Amino acid sequence: MRFTCGFIGLFAAAIVALSSLQGAGFSVVTPAAAQSVINVIVVQGNQRIEADTVRSYMVISQGEAFDPLRIDDSLKALFRTGLFADVQIFRQGNNLVVEVEENPIINRINFEGNSEVDDDTLLAEVQLRPRTVFTRARVQGDVQRIISIYRRSGLFTARVEPKVIRLPQNRVDLVFEINEGTETAIERINFVGNRAFTDSELRAVVSTAESAWWKILGASDNYDPDRLSFDRELLRRYYLQNGYADFRVISGTAELARDGETFFITFTVEEGPQYTFGEIKVDVGDTSLDPVAVASEITTFEGDTYDANKVDSSIEQITLQAGKLGFAFAQVRPTAERDEENLRIDVTYVVNEGPRVYIERIEIVGNVRTLDTVVRREMRLVEGDAYNRVLVDRARRRITGLDFFNTVDIQEQQGSTADKVILVVQLDEKSTGQLNFGAGFSTTEAVLGTVSLSERNLLGRGQFIRLATSLSFKRQQLDFSFTEPYFLDRRIRAGVDAFATETNLQSESSFDSRQIGGGLRFGFPVSEDSAVVLRYNFTNRNISDVDAGASAAIAQAAGTTNTSQVGLTWRYDTLDSPLDPTSGIRFVIDQDLAGLGGDVFFYRFDTRATYFYSPWESIRVMLRGSGGYIGSLNGQKVDIIDRFFKGGESFRGFERSGIGPRDLTPGSNGDALGGQIYAIGTAEVSFPVGLPEEFGVRGAVFSDVGTIFESHESRSNAFVAGSDPDLRASVGVSVLWTSPLGPLRFDLAYPILKEDFDQEEFFRFSAGARF
């Protein structure tokens, strides 16, 4: 009885197994049939794909025995090609029949509903292309890629639905219907574990920002996982440069709100104690370097707050100094010893000769438009030079500074021998052309508009070209500029400029002026922080529309003159930021000489110096001084149009041209005549106003003091005031706003030292940074 039941169960199981094989798409081959041989493999249902191509994908072939396992493997192999929507394999006599249903060919790919991301961006991301085989797996993969693009743009609620439109000849149109949803904003950024710095201070460090209505032009307030990872690194750098050597980010999480439209970002940090620099030493190792000379390059000092950036700077400076002294392969390695009891870090800079490795070849990859020479000249390294990692890092920073590329990555590969290395510069180019439109209002120009067209990398040669125009009620200007940064393949910046300007000066000096001209300039670096520019300009000037009540001096100046002048500018700049400096100095000296042709003869000297420093983290102090002198070369008076006019932005509390020599002849308009000598000093302290840092609003208090005097008329006409160097001074407060449209400034000023004939101005609005 047991044998019978067991036999029946075994038989039933065999029947089930045979049925499942038949359902899999091929007939069951009995042991007797298994010994028979495949006569022909017949392919049916194919339209575009040749029968021989189908057979080539199979692992079983004509003349072999019918083998269920090899037939099953052939079935799987055909599916793996992605060419078929369905495959059936079955036996007809001694023939093996393969019946296929081909996947359609994509005729066209369209995107509908997308406005935040353009078609070109989406098409570059998806893998399917017209005239390729359509498969549902590939479509779903592209759906996920499109969703990823939207998530990187902060649109986490985006939905993508693929639609297939059937066409004749087994073709399809593929349409991705996109519902972009709303941007997933950042509701709040929180920090846990921070004690040394407030949440507001740390929010200013990270690149992600909380959403606000005034950030409509930016994307930093949209959630981006990649940006969140970058923010972790920004926090680490910030703490390391402020002495927290043990700092670490424990976690950075993003939690989606219940409404699905906003994120809450939370960074959990562990600060650790704040360290100072302890003993600073130099170990020259096996080199013959002078330890004293090496130590002079160090920017870390005992007792200062520990700063990892200063350690890196010291390494770079020591490496460069060693290279100048003949040790091209020098390697500098800092060793740090923590004194956790006294919270000090002793740093020893160890200098070793290093292995002798040379640059065999430099390869530039990814520069579709930019010429190789533009990149190579910024590297300051050539084939055959000694390899030094610090110099390679410096080259990468210089190439990045061109602002021609999204990313710059210099990879090192083994050369043909052990002592050679190949440098591969991987580049990702970006758009370098700009078309800008602007409109605004200022108390000086009233309503104004600007249009500019520029290209920073003309024809891939690194050349700069710009055409700009600006219009206002007071001034109309057209400018053209072209710059070749490496003239004659040397570090000489050569440029050509042309301009045309019409200015309404009726309210200040009762005349209109027109200037048309052009010039040449050549600049070259003197050091890392200083440069010299030589220039020549020729200008045709015209004074017209002189009012009937204008000063006699202005009436005499009416007409046309030509100026041919040469000039020299020396510039020294160590500011830490060109737009929002907190430390450093900028010093500029301009000298001009007119009279090499033309009918105007003068020499002019003008200088400006600005100094920034921060006594505390959020307090910034700015000290600025400027002065100038212009004199005649032929004994004649200096033309009014060439003199100095001060006030407005240059001396707050007074109107533009509001101070200096002025014609007070009875019945005249009281015109400003300009001065030949001026000196102005400014002290300003800016500070937070209590608003969150992300608002970009700061306050400031300031004082301007100075004088402008001396003119030909003030010496010969008793009714012309301003011949003496009488001091003027003003004090005031400012509101500074780093708006999405650029820096805006609102000044309230009150003159505390003035002359009766000065023109006062209590409020001024301006755009742009002043220093």
Side-chain angles (χ1 to χ4, degrees):
M1 185 67 176
R2 290 180 181 176
F3 173 78
T4 303
C5 291
F7 178 77
I8 293 173
L10 202 59
F11 180 77
I15 294 297
V16 171
L18 292 174
S19 299
S20 64
L21 288 174
Q22 286 181 327
F26 53 86
S27 303
V28 178
V29 182
T30 63
Q35 303 302 317
S36 58
V37 175
I38 299 173
N39 185 24
V40 177
I41 297 179
V42 180
V43 179
Q44 299 177 351
N46 57 313
Q47 297 177 5
R48 302 182 314 275
I49 304 171
E50 297 290 337
D52 287 342
T53 303
V54 176
R55 297 185 189 101
S56 68
Y57 290 127
M58 301 175 63
V59 298
I60 196 169
S61 57
Q62 181 177 319
E64 295 184 15
F66 284 92
D67 186 340
L69 294 179
R70 290 179 63 79
I71 293 175
D72 184 54
D73 289 341
S74 297
L75 182 74
K76 294 175 181 177
L78 290 172
F79 271 115
R80 280 197 299 269
T81 63
L83 299 174
F84 308 105
D86 189 25
V87 180
Q88 295 286 330
I89 301 180
F90 55 90
R91 179 176 179 178
Q92 283 185 348
N94 287 332
N95 295 337
L96 187 64
V97 179
V98 181
E99 187 171 312
V100 298
E101 180 185 344
E102 294 179 354
N103 277 321
I105 292 295
I106 297 175
N107 177 61
R108 184 171 53 188
I109 298 177
N110 289 330
F111 304 94
E112 294 182 356
N114 56 309
S115 59
E116 295 295 328
V117 183
D118 59 41
D119 286 3
D120 291 340
T121 301
L122 294 174
L123 194 59
E125 186 71 17
V126 299
Q127 292 188 351
L128 287 171
R129 292 287 183 274
R131 296 183 296 278
T132 60
V133 177
F134 170 92
T135 68
R136 296 190 180 277
R138 289 180 179 177
V139 171
Q140 290 304 315
D142 283 343
V143 166
Q144 294 305 314
R145 292 182 183 92
I146 295 172
I147 291 176
S148 297
I149 292 178
Y150 277 96
R151 289 189 172 183
R152 291 198 297 270
S153 302
L155 295 165
F156 275 78
T157 59
R159 298 290 181 266
V160 181
E161 184 177 353
K163 298 288 187 180
V164 178
I165 302 174
R166 296 283 179 178
L167 300 174
Q169 300 177 347
N170 200 23
R171 295 176 301 124
V172 296
D173 282 345
L174 177 60
V175 179
F176 291 99
E177 292 185 353
I178 302 172
N179 181 358
E180 295 183 326
T182 58
E183 289 187 345
T184 312
I186 306 297
E187 178 71 21
R188 188 72 179 168
I189 301 176
N190 299 311
F191 297 89
V192 178
N194 55 309
R195 297 183 305 276
F197 303 101
T198 65
D199 284 13
S200 179
E201 290 173 322
L202 295 181
R203 290 190 193 105
V205 173
V206 297
S207 59
T208 303
E210 294 178 352
S211 298
W213 63 268
W214 64 86
K215 298 177 181 177
I216 55 175
L217 299 180
S220 61
D221 57 340
N222 298 329
Y223 174 64
D224 184 346
D226 295 334
R227 190 186 298 128
L228 195 66
S229 299
F230 179 58
D231 287 339
R232 295 167 65 107
E233 177 62 18
L234 289 178
L235 288 171
R236 189 188 71 84
R237 295 178 187 175
Y238 182 73
Y239 271 90
L240 283 178
Q241 73 183 37
N242 284 281
Y244 294 88
D246 297 331
F247 171 82
R248 65 191 184 101
V249 180
I250 298 175
S251 65
T253 60
E255 182 180 355
L256 186 63
R258 292 183 178 179
D259 59 9
E261 296 183 356
T262 59
F263 272 96
F264 290 86
I265 308 295
T266 303
F267 292 98
T268 303
V269 303
E270 184 179 297
E271 293 181 331
Q274 186 182 41
Y275 289 85
T276 59
F277 281 113
E279 186 178 4
I280 307 297
K281 296 184 292 185
V282 174
D283 181 359
V284 296
D286 55 0
T287 70
S288 58
L289 289 169
D290 181 3
V292 177
V294 173
S296 65
E297 302 295 326
I298 294 175
T299 59
T300 55
F301 303 98
E302 185 173 355
D304 288 355
T305 301
Y306 177 79
D307 186 345
N309 289 344
K310 290 185 178 180
V311 175
D312 293 339
S313 175
S314 297
I315 294 173
E316 181 174 326
Q317 293 301 318
I318 293 173
T319 303
L320 293 175
Q321 180 66 15
K324 293 177 182 177
L325 297 175
F327 293 88
F329 302 97
Q331 293 182 342
V332 182
R333 180 175 53 88
T335 60
E337 295 183 7
R338 282 182 173 82
D339 182 350
E340 297 182 355
E341 182 178 351
N342 297 310
L343 299 181
R344 289 160 51 94
I345 297 180
D346 298 331
V347 179
T348 302
Y349 296 96
V350 181
V351 184
N352 293 315
E353 176 65 17
R356 293 181 175 271
V357 180
Y358 298 88
I359 299 174
E360 179 179 8
R361 190 168 65 252
I362 299 176
E363 297 179 358
I364 314 295
V365 180
N367 53 322
V368 178
R369 189 166 62 96
T370 305
L371 301 180
D372 280 10
T373 54
V374 174
V375 179
R376 288 179 178 273
R377 67 195 183 192
E378 295 299 328
M379 295 190 68
R380 317 278 170 86
L381 293 169
V382 297
E383 285 83 352
D385 282 356
Y387 168 77
N388 189 296
R389 185 181 296 274
V390 173
L391 299 181
V392 172
D393 288 342
R394 207 175 199 190
R396 179 184 54 79
R397 290 197 298 271
R398 277 196 294 266
I399 297 172
T400 303
L402 291 173
D403 199 25
F404 298 164
F405 311 102
N406 289 314
T407 58
V408 178
D409 183 25
I410 301 182
Q411 301 174 355
E412 303 157 12
Q413 298 179 359
Q414 179 63 52
S416 58
T417 59
D419 63 344
K420 294 180 180 179
V421 65
I422 299 172
L423 298 182
V424 180
V425 183
Q426 294 276 358
L427 304 172
D428 177 21
E429 289 187 320
K430 66 179 180 181
S431 174
T432 54
Q434 287 185 326
L435 176 61
N436 295 326
F437 300 89
F441 175 84
S442 76
T443 51
T444 299
E445 305 285 347
V447 178
L448 56 93
T450 61
V451 180
S452 67
L453 176 65
S454 64
E455 171 58 61
R456 302 192 309 275
N457 187 17
L458 182 65
L459 301 177
R461 299 176 181 274
Q463 299 164 336
F464 175 84
I465 190 170
R466 181 175 184 267
L467 179 65
T469 182
S470 61
L471 303 172
S472 73
F473 288 117
K474 301 280 290 182
R475 184 183 183 92
Q476 298 83 46
Q477 183 167 339
L478 179 66
D479 291 296
F480 170 80
S481 179
F482 172 80
T483 301
E484 166 57 64
Y486 276 78
F487 184 62
L488 300 178
D489 292 327
R490 299 181 181 275
R491 295 182 63 190
I492 300 176
R493 296 181 65 86
V496 178
D497 303 296
F499 60 88
T501 304
E502 289 191 2
T503 307
N504 182 339
L505 297 170
Q506 295 291 339
S507 61
E508 295 91 353
S509 301
S510 302
F511 70 89
D512 294 339
S513 75
R514 187 207 68 224
Q515 300 189 52
I516 301 175
L520 304 173
R521 49 188 160 78
F522 299 89
F524 54 90
V526 178
S527 66
E528 285 292 326
D529 301 318
S530 64
V532 169
V533 177
L534 303 174
R535 60 186 184 277
Y536 170 79
N537 291 293
F538 183 89
T539 308
N540 175 269
R541 300 103 54 87
N542 178 262
I543 293 179
S544 61
D545 295 332
V546 177
D547 187 82
S551 168
I554 293 175
Q556 294 172 6
T560 300
T561 56
N562 294 308
T563 302
S564 176
Q565 69 183 62
V566 294
L568 180 146
T569 297
W570 178 76
R571 182 187 185 96
Y572 177 79
D573 194 335
T574 62
L575 297 184
D576 59 346
S577 168
L579 297 178
D580 188 24
T582 60
S583 65
I585 187 172
R586 175 179 291 174
F587 186 40
V588 180
I589 296 177
D590 289 324
Q591 298 180 78
D592 294 284
L593 180 68
L596 303 178
D599 46 25
V600 177
F601 302 86
F602 66 78
Y603 60 93
R604 180 169 53 205
F605 176 85
D606 200 357
T607 182
R608 301 173 300 281
T610 309
Y611 173 64
F612 288 88
Y613 76 98
S614 298
W616 297 281
E617 181 69 27
S618 56
I619 305 298
R620 301 174 190 173
V621 177
M622 181 197 71
L623 302 175
R624 181 177 62 242
S626 60
Y629 173 77
I630 184 171
S632 174
L633 286 174
N634 61 355
Q636 302 296 319
K637 65 180 181 181
V638 176
D639 286 355
I640 287 178
I641 202 171
D642 295 316
R643 300 176 189 176
F644 300 112
F645 290 84
K646 298 298 177 182
E649 292 186 6
S650 61
F651 204 130
R652 289 160 293 186
F654 300 93
E655 291 184 0
R656 188 172 67 170
S657 304
I659 62 174
R662 185 174 299 274
D663 190 344
L664 302 179
T665 302
S668 70
N669 295 338
D671 296 325
L673 302 179
Q676 294 179 231
I677 303 174
Y678 85 94
I680 298 175
T682 296
E684 181 175 291
V685 179
S686 64
F687 47 83
V689 294
L691 295 174
E693 287 284 340
E694 53 267 26
F695 278 50
V697 178
R698 293 174 62 85
V701 294
F702 64 83
S703 176
D704 293 340
V705 60
T707 184
I708 177 171
F709 62 99
E710 186 62 33
S711 70
H712 176 82
E713 294 79 16
S714 65
R715 295 192 300 268
S716 59
N717 188 340
F719 289 104
V720 174
S723 60
D724 299 324
D726 299 316
L727 282 178
R728 277 82 161 178
S730 65
V731 294
V733 297
S734 301
V735 175
L736 317 174
W737 180 28
T738 306
S739 74
L741 301 177
L744 301 179
R745 184 182 186 103
F746 306 86
D747 295 320
L748 287 174
Y750 179 76
I752 56 175
L753 284 177
K754 60 182 180 178
E755 296 297 318
D756 294 337
F757 54 84
D758 291 338
Q759 303 293 317
E760 301 176 21
E761 180 182 72
F762 297 101
F763 171 75
R764 169 161 288 273
F765 163 74
S766 59
R770 295 181 65 244
F771 54 84

